[in-house]
Amino acid sequence: MINTLLNANQDVLGLNWRNQKIIRQENPSSAKQLADDKLRLKKKLGKYDIPTPTLFKIVKRKEQIPHIDWESMPKSFVLKPNKGTGGQGIVVFYGKKKGALEWIRPDMSTMTKEQIENHISDILDGRYSMGGRKDTAFFEERIINHPVLKPYSYKGIPDVRIIVYNGVPIMAELRLPTRESRGTANLHAGGIGVGIDMATGITTVAIHRKGFDLIGDRYDIIEETLDEPKLPLRGLKVPYWNKIMEMSIRCQKLSGAGFLGVDIAIDRIQGPVVFEINARPGLAIQLANMAGLRERIERVKRLKVKTVTRGIKIAKTLFGGVIEEEVESLTGKQVIGMVEKVTCLPAPKIEPEEEIETAPAVSADTSTEKTTPTLKPKTKKRHRKKRRKGAPEKEIIKAKIDTGALHSSIDRKLAFRLGYKELREVSELFETPPEGLNEARKHIIPYKEKAEDLKQIDNFTIIKSGNGVSIRPIIEVETIISGEQKTIRFTVSDRSDLIYPAIIGRRDLKDFIIDPSKTFVLSSLIKKDESKS
Amino acid sequence: MIIITNPNTLILNLPIIVTFIASIRYIIGFKTWELFTVLSLILSYYLLNSFIGTLWLTTLIWLALIFIILSIPYLTHQALLKFKMHYYGRMSLVYFGTLIGLILTIPFFKLLQNESLFNQIYHSQTGVIALILIALNTTALIDLQYKKDRVGTIRLIFFTLIISLLLGWLITWNSWNSLIAKNQEIVLIVLLLGFITANWTYLRLTDFARFKQLINKTDD
């Protein structure tokens, strides 16, 4: 029980920690002011070429209201309070009544010019602003729903909320408007929140607010949209995912906030546009992703993220793979990319060497040396030196996942480093390859016979490739791919001129699912960053 | 330890009740309306209790008065929502609703058939202040309509009433009052609780309910 409570405190970001340790410490008041002032934000984003909905008109004073040129207003637009919160006071107009100064709302009701003027007056009076302070009203372009997201949203614009911390997008959710939320994407109002896998931009878990609950907003996990047509919410690929991540990082940098929620909508023509930024983003996003924000914050806290591209790479490496985990749990197969990190373990020793025999003796020595501690360090040092010099070590390499090849192949120098020393005995195979298939068939016979005497070489095979015909030794290497230990039968060739020291062919890929979009980032690079900072 | 001789316990209770409100918010997670609202409701309970004297009757009358005084301006506001008008203009009309609410308390007391209580409350400054303290929450109630949805509003009103009532009971409880009058160091202990609450960064108890699925998953 206590363990659960302590673990929860380390993983889940609660309101207290968010307010005290994150917002108060990492978000300066200038950043909060910018987030609360939509017009100032629009101007600033424009300076940095970050797209936002086009601004039509600003109304600052009541005296300006009678002078608004309604005839020149477009058919569809959005009226917003500058400092409004939670979508309050925002009115969307989809069209205009023919021959009248009357605009149509998403629920097909209309608002006359006079009614809109009254609404503007309310905004200016501060009815929708924080603390009831005087406000400014403005008209802006209406975003047109992207065709991919349109069927999932009920009469409103869905948006992507990305939480960015220290230049890294750490969590994201797709927010979908519903009939219950009256077309707003706000989860609190009854919208749907769908978690997004950071690596792929594919939706994962979906949540929707439970009915009346005295304790607070609690959420149910749902599988389908609430309104017709009922569509599955998992597995939807968010368009422009990389662009969205890039924009969110740029927004965080220009805002000066350390911890920021960026709301990005996807327009049918313009693509992603920033709706607004939030210096105090809500925490329900954790449920939509079934992951704690605090744990993610801790992971990127000490990183030095210099570029936007690096921030995206880190996000994909550290917080991606939710979809893969789901596929893996369903199929029992690991998901790998086109290039994978492969750990090759050293070759098993042919004969027990002296070292092994002496090993227990050394340990025995150390046990007896308990009474004579001065001898202990010397023995240990010698032992370490011996191991470094003699025994081959494991090699971590980048291997190409090649579904076009049947056999897996490894570079001979790498194989030698791994301890396959018997390859020396057939070194002529790499230097003078046979001139044709017939010659290769003749030559291979003595090698096959020889293979019976060799312990490290399993067999020999003839390989036809773009470079001609070759006879290659086959060795069995213990490898670890994506956490799976597997014995792979590699053909050995000279790959010193090629990019990858090994390729994994079809025969050895039966236990894996290949995802071409999976990016390969060596975690050692991130570790290096951590250690530097 | 006595620092002030014969203190007014209401003064000693003031930081205590605010600390309790803060602890309930940040450690347990139950939010109340604005601090002023809670304090005004507690004070109105305290004043009404000075006339009525019994716990259950004070509670009943206090709740009934809140309902009568605040429901009329609420209904007025709801009716006016259909008409587009200026915010402050609407608020002035809403306060006419408050006045009607206050007037409607007269038949309520008649209904109780307690003439002396009616006279005590309506013909003393303290009694009228108790009613006005309740009526002053009209603005907060209307603003709540703009800030929160229906569920959020009900939740806030519920916890505000419950917490105000609990703290109202506390400050009208004679044993408690004599305890803090005699042992004024209790205020210092509450001050310590105030410091703990002000720096509390752990999950609120309600967060455990809110993130139950996530915590269970992490635990697995």
Side-chain angles (χ1 to χ4, degrees):
Chain A
M1 177 70 180
I2 293 165
N3 261 347
T4 308
L5 296 182
L6 290 174
N7 286 342
N9 262 310
Q10 282 168 3
D11 291 331
V12 180
L13 182 65
L15 281 165
N16 288 335
W17 187 275
R18 184 199 71 168
N19 296 345
Q20 288 269 52
K21 299 279 177 185
I22 309 285
I23 293 174
R24 205 157 287 172
Q25 291 181 14
E26 314 238 5
N27 289 359
S29 54
S30 59
K32 285 178 208 159
Q33 280 163 15
L34 181 71
D36 295 340
D37 190 334
K38 293 187 184 81
L39 284 169
R40 238 186 85 204
L41 175 73
K42 221 176 228 303
K43 205 174 165 186
K44 194 153 188 181
L45 291 175
K47 257 187 194 175
Y48 288 85
D49 290 327
I50 297 174
T52 57
T54 314
L55 182 67
F56 292 148
K57 214 175 277 288
I58 302 172
V59 185
K60 286 182 178 173
R61 294 183 307 277
K62 285 199 179 175
E63 299 84 73
Q64 285 177 271
I65 299 174
H67 302 290
I68 296 171
D69 183 7
W70 293 102
E71 298 286 348
S72 69
M73 286 299 281
K75 281 181 183 171
S76 73
F77 60 88
V78 183
L79 173 60
K80 282 182 176 179
N82 185 35
K83 292 180 178 175
T85 52
Q88 299 280 337
I90 297 174
V91 190
V92 183
F93 297 102
Y94 271 62
K96 191 182 175 189
K97 251 193 174 178
K98 265 187 185 175
L101 287 178
E102 219 168 310
W103 281 265
I104 304 159
R105 296 184 63 185
D107 58 359
M108 298 314 284
S109 66
T110 57
M111 261 177 106
T112 60
K113 183 195 106 177
E114 287 74 25
Q115 285 172 326
I116 301 173
E117 284 178 344
N118 267 339
H119 188 76
I120 296 171
S121 179
D122 275 353
I123 292 174
L124 299 183
D125 278 340
R127 182 175 148 178
Y128 306 106
S129 71
M130 279 170 282
R133 271 165 283 175
K134 287 204 168 235
D135 202 0
T136 303
F138 66 93
F139 296 91
E140 69 172 22
E141 170 198 18
R142 181 175 72 84
I143 296 295
I144 301 165
N145 235 336
H146 191 277
V148 170
L149 301 177
K150 200 178 176 186
Y152 291 87
S153 51
Y154 178 84
K155 289 181 178 175
I157 305 295
D159 64 20
V160 177
R161 157 72 60 92
I162 298 205
I163 307 284
V164 191
Y165 180 77
N166 188 27
V168 182
I170 54 171
M171 205 173 269
E173 72 174 338
L174 176 67
R175 304 188 306 169
L176 302 168
T178 59
R179 184 194 287 266
E180 187 192 330
S181 74
R182 294 177 186 178
T184 73
N186 199 331
L187 258 63
H188 186 71
I192 297 170
V194 199
I196 299 175
D197 176 49
M198 297 304 285
T200 55
I202 294 172
T203 55
T204 54
V205 183
I207 55 163
H208 178 253
R209 194 177 79 164
K210 277 183 184 175
F212 181 75
D213 193 334
L214 265 181
I215 287 178
D217 280 352
R218 286 198 270 186
Y219 295 85
D220 280 323
I221 291 173
I222 55 167
E223 293 294 332
E224 285 179 333
T225 50
L226 300 175
D227 308 300
E228 294 295 336
K230 301 265 184 190
L231 295 168
L233 289 161
R234 274 174 201 260
L236 169 69
K237 173 100 174 81
V238 175
Y240 305 101
W241 180 237
N242 280 340
K243 179 89 182 151
I244 288 171
M245 289 228 278
E246 182 210 311
M247 279 165 70
S248 67
I249 299 174
R250 287 176 64 203
C251 281
Q252 193 230 345
K253 293 208 164 163
L254 70 89
S255 73
F259 179 75
L260 193 74
V262 184
D263 296 345
I264 297 172
I266 304 168
D267 184 69
R268 195 172 65 192
I269 300 150
Q270 290 186 73
V273 287
V274 175
F275 253 176
E276 58 181 36
I277 61 171
N278 199 329
R280 309 163 194 88
L283 302 175
I285 191 170
Q286 299 178 100
L287 278 170
N289 283 276
M290 277 295 152
L293 266 172
R294 193 164 159 195
E295 185 255 341
R296 291 194 176 188
I297 285 170
E298 293 299 331
R299 286 174 82 178
V300 297
K301 203 173 188 175
R302 283 173 200 88
L303 298 182
K304 277 185 184 167
V305 187
K306 285 178 187 167
T307 62
V308 173
T309 326
R310 184 113 193 88
I312 296 173
K313 270 191 178 177
I314 292 171
K316 286 187 171 188
T317 312
L318 292 183
F319 310 124
V322 180
I323 286 290
E324 286 163 23
E325 279 169 23
E326 281 185 16
V327 172
E328 282 162 14
S329 68
L330 282 172
T331 60
K333 292 182 176 185
Q334 295 287 318
V335 179
I336 54 172
M338 295 303 287
V339 177
E340 268 299 319
K341 182 177 85 173
V342 176
T343 307
C344 300
L345 302 179
K349 279 165 190 169
I350 304 165
E351 286 172 342
E353 288 174 16
E354 271 182 23
E355 272 173 54
I356 296 167
E357 284 177 353
T358 51
V362 171
S363 60
D365 280 349
T366 46
S367 61
T368 52
E369 275 166 13
K370 273 177 188 170
T371 47
T372 53
T374 43
L375 290 171
K376 200 177 167 185
K378 265 189 178 178
T379 332
K380 263 200 166 180
K381 216 174 182 180
R382 214 179 294 149
H383 177 62
R384 254 190 234 142
K385 259 190 178 177
K386 256 190 177 179
R387 278 194 69 181
R388 224 179 273 160
K389 267 189 173 181
E393 287 180 3
K394 69 176 181 187
E395 296 268 346
I396 299 167
I397 55 157
K398 269 186 183 182
K400 188 184 171 190
I401 306 302
D402 191 351
T403 51
L406 181 65
H407 300 277
S408 300
S409 174
I410 194 166
D411 181 49
R412 67 166 172 149
K413 282 180 188 162
L414 172 63
F416 192 75
R417 283 203 304 276
L418 287 169
Y420 291 87
K421 291 181 180 165
E422 282 182 355
L423 287 170
R424 267 191 198 148
E425 294 181 28
V426 291
S427 59
E428 69 280 0
L429 280 177
F430 306 111
E431 279 136 33
T432 50
E435 278 180 5
L437 195 59
N438 288 336
E439 197 184 314
R441 279 183 186 143
K442 275 182 205 168
H443 277 82
I444 200 167
I445 300 161
Y447 282 107
K448 285 203 173 222
E449 284 166 4
K450 198 177 180 181
E452 285 170 16
D453 301 330
L454 297 169
K455 283 178 182 165
Q456 287 182 325
I457 297 172
D458 195 42
N459 205 345
F460 289 85
T461 186
I462 299 168
I463 298 285
K464 280 192 285 180
S465 69
N467 298 329
V469 180
S470 58
I471 298 170
R472 292 188 194 171
I474 297 172
I475 57 169
E476 280 185 354
V477 181
E478 276 297 315
T479 60
I480 299 166
I481 308 173
S482 192
E484 287 272 301
Q485 187 156 346
K486 191 173 167 57
T487 308
I488 293 185
R489 279 164 61 86
F490 281 106
T491 65
V492 184
S493 65
D494 187 0
R495 299 185 60 85
S496 53
D497 294 337
L498 301 170
I499 301 169
Y500 301 105
I503 60 166
I504 313 292
R506 286 199 304 277
R507 269 192 182 170
D508 299 301
L509 290 171
K510 284 170 192 161
D511 298 334
F512 301 98
I513 289 173
I514 299 155
D515 174 12
S517 67
K518 195 180 172 194
T519 26
F520 178 84
V521 180
L522 269 176
S523 57
S524 57
L525 294 174
I526 294 162
K527 276 180 195 159
K528 210 185 278 174
D529 258 358
E530 276 176 353
S531 62
K532 265 185 195 173
S533 58
Chain B
M1 186 177 74
I2 294 172
I3 302 163
I4 316 163
T5 46
N6 297 324
N8 185 332
T9 48
L10 191 61
I11 295 168
L12 286 176
N13 270 312
L14 187 67
I16 296 173
I17 55 178
V18 177
T19 307
F20 281 154
I21 294 167
S23 307
I24 290 167
R25 187 187 182 94
Y26 295 116
I27 298 174
I28 298 173
F30 293 146
K31 285 181 194 169
T32 56
W33 228 333
E34 292 161 16
L35 200 56
F36 170 77
T37 305
V38 188
L39 289 174
S40 68
L41 290 177
I42 295 168
L43 196 57
S44 68
Y45 184 92
Y46 181 84
L47 295 175
L48 286 173
N49 186 64
S50 66
F51 296 112
I52 303 163
T54 47
L55 184 99
W56 69 269
L57 195 61
T58 311
T59 306
L60 201 74
I61 291 175
W62 179 75
L63 284 170
L65 287 175
I66 290 172
F67 179 74
I68 296 165
I69 296 171
L70 294 181
S71 62
I72 307 298
Y74 174 77
L75 292 173
T76 314
H77 173 257
Q78 291 303 107
L80 290 173
L81 272 180
K82 289 173 188 162
F83 306 99
K84 290 275 166 191
M85 53 177 72
H86 296 301
Y87 174 68
Y88 284 117
R90 179 183 287 125
M91 286 307 285
S92 68
L93 296 175
V94 165
Y95 266 87
F96 276 98
T98 313
L99 175 65
I100 296 167
L102 281 167
I103 292 166
L104 282 176
T105 57
I106 299 168
F108 167 71
F109 280 108
K110 299 272 180 202
L111 208 71
L112 282 178
Q113 294 178 330
N114 195 335
E115 192 77 19
S116 68
L117 182 63
F118 172 78
N119 286 333
Q120 276 177 350
I121 291 175
Y122 276 86
H123 297 121
S124 73
Q125 287 285 11
T126 320
V128 174
I129 287 172
L131 298 180
I132 298 268
L133 276 171
I134 295 172
L136 280 180
N137 290 304
T138 302
T139 317
L141 178 69
I142 302 307
D143 282 349
L144 200 63
Q145 306 295 304
Y146 292 123
K147 283 179 192 165
K148 300 276 175 190
D149 60 346
R150 198 182 298 159
V151 176
T153 306
I154 294 170
R155 199 183 288 148
L156 271 186
I157 293 173
F158 177 79
F159 284 116
T160 302
L161 290 179
I162 292 288
I163 291 164
S164 304
L165 194 58
L166 287 173
L167 294 171
W169 285 344
L170 182 77
I171 63 165
T172 52
W173 187 19
N174 288 335
S175 312
W176 167 255
N177 285 330
S178 55
L179 182 79
I180 55 165
K182 281 176 196 163
N183 306 287
Q184 290 169 18
E185 65 271 20
I186 288 175
V187 178
L188 294 176
I189 296 166
V190 175
L191 184 73
L192 186 72
L193 177 67
F195 269 110
I196 293 169
T197 307
N199 293 295
W200 187 263
T201 53
Y202 293 104
L203 289 176
R204 298 172 187 183
L205 281 179
T206 50
D207 282 344
F208 286 101
R210 197 178 165 202
F211 297 114
K212 196 178 156 192
Q213 296 128 308
L214 177 57
I215 291 166
N216 287 345
K217 195 202 164 206
T218 320
D219 205 32
D220 288 343

